[in-house]
Amino acid sequence: MSTDRKVRLTPEGKVRLEKELNTLRKERLPELSRLIQESSGDGDISDNSEYEEMKDEYMYLEHRVHELENTLEHAELIAAAGHPKVVGIGETGLDFYYDSSPRDAQEASFRTHIPAARATQLPLIVHTPSLIHIRRCRRYSLV
């Protein structure tokens, strides 16, 4: 994740992300850490699928915390998205077939629109001309 990019958020979206970050830091991660410690103290963990699932979830949540911290650190508030007449963020996608704009510009736009749509909970139209592009979207954990 680039550290110099700006993510546009509404004030409400920023509050929602801050609340999620606070919940992860103060509740979910400490509780999961406690459960992992208890599980590992019970003896042989080599065949313990619950233990492995908890570790996987912990790693996912740590990644989410890092992602939220980075997003909030680089947030620009979107005032316009809070206007009652705004019905969506817009349209974005990766179109590498025609190559009509630079790939890095398309990816930067894509990476900006997705968090803005999530934060504002407004619809975003994602266009993709082929299944290959959907796979590329998955690489960004967006679909």
Side-chain angles (χ1 to χ4, degrees):
M1 187 177 286
S2 174
T3 57
D4 60 350
R5 70 180 175 89
K6 290 292 180 188
V7 176
R8 294 179 178 94
L9 300 173
T10 62
E12 298 83 10
K14 184 177 181 191
V15 168
R16 192 171 26 258
L17 293 181
E18 288 170 336
K19 184 177 178 182
E20 179 184 355
L21 179 61
N22 190 44
T23 300
L24 289 174
R25 282 182 178 159
K26 294 186 176 182
E27 297 173 20
R28 294 196 57 203
L29 282 172
E31 175 65 12
L32 196 52
S33 179
R34 183 187 64 76
L35 291 171
I36 290 171
Q37 287 177 347
E38 286 177 6
S39 182
S40 66
D42 290 341
D44 184 19
I45 56 172
S46 61
D47 290 334
N48 189 336
S49 63
E50 288 179 9
Y51 175 78
E52 292 300 321
E53 287 174 12
M54 286 188 289
K55 280 184 10 183
D56 288 345
E57 182 179 359
Y58 191 87
M59 287 187 294
Y60 169 78
L61 293 178
E62 279 186 325
H63 175 74
R64 180 67 179 150
V65 164
H66 175 71
E67 183 179 63
L68 289 169
E69 289 170 341
N70 195 37
T71 298
L72 289 168
E73 182 179 323
H74 297 93
E76 290 179 351
L77 299 182
I78 306 172
H83 191 279
K85 290 190 176 186
V86 174
V87 296
I89 292 297
E91 178 268 339
T92 192
L94 302 174
D95 189 353
F96 300 149
Y97 181 77
Y98 292 107
D99 234 1
S100 57
S101 64
R103 289 179 182 213
D104 58 341
Q106 290 184 50
E107 289 181 11
S109 175
F110 198 61
R111 289 175 184 265
T112 300
H113 285 117
I114 300 293
R118 283 183 176 163
T120 61
Q121 295 185 344
L122 290 170
L124 175 68
I125 298 169
V126 177
H127 73 86
T128 179
S130 72
L131 182 60
I132 292 169
H133 296 290
I134 292 172
R135 290 188 180 128
R136 287 186 181 138
C137 294
R138 285 191 181 137
R139 179 175 43 174
Y140 298 116
S141 301
L142 304 173
V143 290

